[in-house]
Amino acid sequence: MDCPNDHGPMRLKNVMRELLFRGKRLKFRAKHYVCPVCGIEADDLGLAAANQKTLSDEYRAAVGLLTGAEIIEGRKKLAWTQEDLSRAANVGIASVKRWETGQIQTKAMDDILRRALSGEAKCADPYTGNRALSLARIKLVLERFSGLLGRKLLKSPRDKMLYAAKYLWYADMLAFREAGQSMTGATYAALPHGPQLNNYSELVDLIKEADEDLAEPLKEYEVRIMTRIARTFASGQSVYRAAHNEEAYKSKKNGELIPYSDAERIKAV
Ligand SMILES: [Zn+2]
């Protein structure tokens, strides 16, 4: 690489950097091209990516998250491919790739990765989002959505949850994408009228009768996610249309279950 001030070729140098990153003061060794005449620094794309990765690993080590190198090492110890890890942790393979190359995982995802790499996560169910199905929580989430939308989502007596299930699906998928755990533990199937609670016809009445006071209270981030969904989809038609356009739904055959690993393909919210 040549100096932009016309001093000829620049030299690759290690530079110690100290900076404030996500509230942490970090010291790390960056690599830059440096002009021996004017001292200007520059990166090419490869260097910029490598420096970003070094910073990310430095940060993750400082706050007690697995670094990219540790994830790779843990996986290699088990002789796992990235796909093996994605299956054991019940996350998309794209996430595994991003974490290994420098994207910072959330604390919740870090716990899930550690469990998977320690072999504790034996039978991760790809269809419940790391939570046992709770009808009371489904009721609680739907009631909260009704409040946010200013209209009742569960209509008696013969509601098929045509729209309610779409709100639920987005809430579960986005919670999983963000925190590694669904809100309700519900399993979804791709039906002609969109993503729907699996076996919904048997569940609807049970959900209506469920006591939402028995459900685990909603966490702050869950309410935040629901608020975002309610703002994005004010009408039942809009959530219905958006759900139909999601690859996570479109890529499935009729009746096929939609795994939570598809959460990272959600586009509309
Ligand atoms: Zn120069």
Side-chain angles (χ1 to χ4, degrees), residues 2-10 34-40:
D2 284 337
C3 171
N5 298 328
D6 290 332
H7 298 127
M10 301 169 84
V34 181
C35 170
V37 180
C38 67
I40 198 170

PDB file of all heavy atoms in Angstrom, residues 2-10 34-40, ligand 1:
ATOM      1  N   ASP A   2       0.500   2.215  -0.833  1.00  0.00           N
ATOM      2  CA  ASP A   2       1.293   3.444  -0.932  1.00  0.00           C
ATOM      3  C   ASP A   2       0.682   4.558  -0.092  1.00  0.00           C
ATOM      4  O   ASP A   2      -0.526   4.628   0.087  1.00  0.00           O
ATOM      5  CB  ASP A   2       1.378   3.912  -2.391  1.00  0.00           C
ATOM      6  CG  ASP A   2       2.363   3.064  -3.179  1.00  0.00           C
ATOM      7  OD1 ASP A   2       3.261   2.465  -2.540  1.00  0.00           O
ATOM      8  OD2 ASP A   2       2.210   2.969  -4.414  1.00  0.00           O
ATOM      9  N   CYS A   3       1.576   5.445   0.418  1.00  0.00           N
ATOM     10  CA  CYS A   3       1.106   6.567   1.232  1.00  0.00           C
ATOM     11  C   CYS A   3       0.212   7.490   0.401  1.00  0.00           C
ATOM     12  O   CYS A   3       0.571   7.844  -0.722  1.00  0.00           O
ATOM     13  CB  CYS A   3       2.308   7.355   1.764  1.00  0.00           C
ATOM     14  SG  CYS A   3       1.815   8.900   2.559  1.00  0.00           S
ATOM     15  N   PRO A   4      -0.924   7.876   0.948  1.00  0.00           N
ATOM     16  CA  PRO A   4      -1.808   8.781   0.190  1.00  0.00           C
ATOM     17  C   PRO A   4      -1.171  10.175  -0.003  1.00  0.00           C
ATOM     18  O   PRO A   4      -1.620  10.943  -0.844  1.00  0.00           O
ATOM     19  CB  PRO A   4      -3.070   8.870   1.061  1.00  0.00           C
ATOM     20  CG  PRO A   4      -2.673   8.381   2.410  1.00  0.00           C
ATOM     21  CD  PRO A   4      -1.497   7.468   2.229  1.00  0.00           C
ATOM     22  N   ASN A   5      -0.118  10.461   0.761  1.00  0.00           N
ATOM     23  CA  ASN A   5       0.573  11.745   0.586  1.00  0.00           C
ATOM     24  C   ASN A   5       1.799  11.612  -0.335  1.00  0.00           C
ATOM     25  O   ASN A   5       2.732  12.417  -0.253  1.00  0.00           O
ATOM     26  CB  ASN A   5       1.018  12.307   1.948  1.00  0.00           C
ATOM     27  CG  ASN A   5      -0.172  12.578   2.858  1.00  0.00           C
ATOM     28  OD1 ASN A   5      -1.255  12.918   2.382  1.00  0.00           O
ATOM     29  ND2 ASN A   5       0.015  12.401   4.162  1.00  0.00           N
ATOM     30  N   ASP A   6       1.800  10.584  -1.151  1.00  0.00           N
ATOM     31  CA  ASP A   6       2.860  10.394  -2.154  1.00  0.00           C
ATOM     32  C   ASP A   6       4.249  10.169  -1.578  1.00  0.00           C
ATOM     33  O   ASP A   6       5.244  10.622  -2.146  1.00  0.00           O
ATOM     34  CB  ASP A   6       2.911  11.601  -3.133  1.00  0.00           C
ATOM     35  CG  ASP A   6       1.691  11.602  -4.043  1.00  0.00           C
ATOM     36  OD1 ASP A   6       1.155  10.500  -4.290  1.00  0.00           O
ATOM     37  OD2 ASP A   6       1.271  12.692  -4.475  1.00  0.00           O
ATOM     38  N   HIS A   7       4.365   9.485  -0.445  1.00  0.00           N
ATOM     39  CA  HIS A   7       5.685   9.158   0.093  1.00  0.00           C
ATOM     40  C   HIS A   7       6.115   7.736  -0.245  1.00  0.00           C
ATOM     41  O   HIS A   7       7.040   7.208   0.350  1.00  0.00           O
ATOM     42  CB  HIS A   7       5.714   9.356   1.614  1.00  0.00           C
ATOM     43  CG  HIS A   7       5.469  10.759   2.039  1.00  0.00           C
ATOM     44  ND1 HIS A   7       4.505  11.108   2.957  1.00  0.00           N
ATOM     45  CD2 HIS A   7       6.042  11.924   1.640  1.00  0.00           C
ATOM     46  CE1 HIS A   7       4.502  12.424   3.117  1.00  0.00           C
ATOM     47  NE2 HIS A   7       5.423  12.946   2.329  1.00  0.00           N
ATOM     48  N   GLY A   8       5.434   7.118  -1.165  1.00  0.00           N
ATOM     49  CA  GLY A   8       5.822   5.765  -1.565  1.00  0.00           C
ATOM     50  C   GLY A   8       5.249   4.700  -0.656  1.00  0.00           C
ATOM     51  O   GLY A   8       4.279   4.957   0.071  1.00  0.00           O
ATOM     52  N   PRO A   9       5.857   3.468  -0.693  1.00  0.00           N
ATOM     53  CA  PRO A   9       5.264   2.333   0.012  1.00  0.00           C
ATOM     54  C   PRO A   9       5.216   2.518   1.536  1.00  0.00           C
ATOM     55  O   PRO A   9       6.142   3.088   2.120  1.00  0.00           O
ATOM     56  CB  PRO A   9       6.186   1.160  -0.343  1.00  0.00           C
ATOM     57  CG  PRO A   9       7.246   1.692  -1.236  1.00  0.00           C
ATOM     58  CD  PRO A   9       7.094   3.154  -1.396  1.00  0.00           C
ATOM     59  N   MET A  10       4.111   2.054   2.150  1.00  0.00           N
ATOM     60  CA  MET A  10       3.978   2.105   3.609  1.00  0.00           C
ATOM     61  C   MET A  10       4.441   0.770   4.177  1.00  0.00           C
ATOM     62  O   MET A  10       4.522  -0.219   3.461  1.00  0.00           O
ATOM     63  CB  MET A  10       2.520   2.371   3.984  1.00  0.00           C
ATOM     64  CG  MET A  10       1.998   3.676   3.417  1.00  0.00           C
ATOM     65  SD  MET A  10       0.207   3.845   3.598  1.00  0.00           S
ATOM     66  CE  MET A  10       0.079   4.470   5.249  1.00  0.00           C
ATOM     67  N   VAL A  34       1.884   1.843   7.974  1.00  0.00           N
ATOM     68  CA  VAL A  34       2.313   3.157   8.459  1.00  0.00           C
ATOM     69  C   VAL A  34       3.321   3.733   7.466  1.00  0.00           C
ATOM     70  O   VAL A  34       4.241   3.040   7.016  1.00  0.00           O
ATOM     71  CB  VAL A  34       2.972   3.040   9.857  1.00  0.00           C
ATOM     72  CG1 VAL A  34       3.400   4.413  10.365  1.00  0.00           C
ATOM     73  CG2 VAL A  34       2.024   2.368  10.842  1.00  0.00           C
ATOM     74  N   CYS A  35       3.146   5.012   7.149  1.00  0.00           N
ATOM     75  CA  CYS A  35       4.105   5.671   6.253  1.00  0.00           C
ATOM     76  C   CYS A  35       5.341   6.083   7.062  1.00  0.00           C
ATOM     77  O   CYS A  35       5.207   6.781   8.064  1.00  0.00           O
ATOM     78  CB  CYS A  35       3.474   6.893   5.604  1.00  0.00           C
ATOM     79  SG  CYS A  35       4.693   7.891   4.716  1.00  0.00           S
ATOM     80  N   PRO A  36       6.552   5.646   6.656  1.00  0.00           N
ATOM     81  CA  PRO A  36       7.758   5.976   7.415  1.00  0.00           C
ATOM     82  C   PRO A  36       8.095   7.463   7.329  1.00  0.00           C
ATOM     83  O   PRO A  36       8.856   7.972   8.154  1.00  0.00           O
ATOM     84  CB  PRO A  36       8.851   5.126   6.755  1.00  0.00           C
ATOM     85  CG  PRO A  36       8.325   4.726   5.428  1.00  0.00           C
ATOM     86  CD  PRO A  36       6.833   4.793   5.484  1.00  0.00           C
ATOM     87  N   VAL A  37       7.512   8.183   6.391  1.00  0.00           N
ATOM     88  CA  VAL A  37       7.819   9.606   6.249  1.00  0.00           C
ATOM     89  C   VAL A  37       6.863  10.468   7.076  1.00  0.00           C
ATOM     90  O   VAL A  37       7.279  11.196   7.972  1.00  0.00           O
ATOM     91  CB  VAL A  37       7.778  10.045   4.765  1.00  0.00           C
ATOM     92  CG1 VAL A  37       8.097  11.541   4.638  1.00  0.00           C
ATOM     93  CG2 VAL A  37       8.755   9.213   3.945  1.00  0.00           C
ATOM     94  N   CYS A  38       5.544  10.335   6.839  1.00  0.00           N
ATOM     95  CA  CYS A  38       4.601  11.236   7.525  1.00  0.00           C
ATOM     96  C   CYS A  38       3.854  10.549   8.670  1.00  0.00           C
ATOM     97  O   CYS A  38       3.143  11.205   9.424  1.00  0.00           O
ATOM     98  CB  CYS A  38       3.611  11.840   6.529  1.00  0.00           C
ATOM     99  SG  CYS A  38       2.497  10.627   5.809  1.00  0.00           S
ATOM    100  N   GLY A  39       4.006   9.233   8.782  1.00  0.00           N
ATOM    101  CA  GLY A  39       3.397   8.539   9.925  1.00  0.00           C
ATOM    102  C   GLY A  39       1.921   8.240   9.775  1.00  0.00           C
ATOM    103  O   GLY A  39       1.289   7.715  10.689  1.00  0.00           O
ATOM    104  N   ILE A  40       1.363   8.551   8.645  1.00  0.00           N
ATOM    105  CA  ILE A  40      -0.072   8.287   8.464  1.00  0.00           C
ATOM    106  C   ILE A  40      -0.319   6.776   8.475  1.00  0.00           C
ATOM    107  O   ILE A  40       0.544   5.997   8.038  1.00  0.00           O
ATOM    108  CB  ILE A  40      -0.582   8.939   7.150  1.00  0.00           C
ATOM    109  CG1 ILE A  40      -2.106   9.052   7.173  1.00  0.00           C
ATOM    110  CG2 ILE A  40      -0.148   8.133   5.931  1.00  0.00           C
ATOM    111  CD1 ILE A  40      -2.648   9.906   6.035  1.00  0.00           C
TER     112      ILE A  40
HETATM  113 ZN    ZN B   1       3.382   9.560   4.005  1.00  0.00          ZN
END
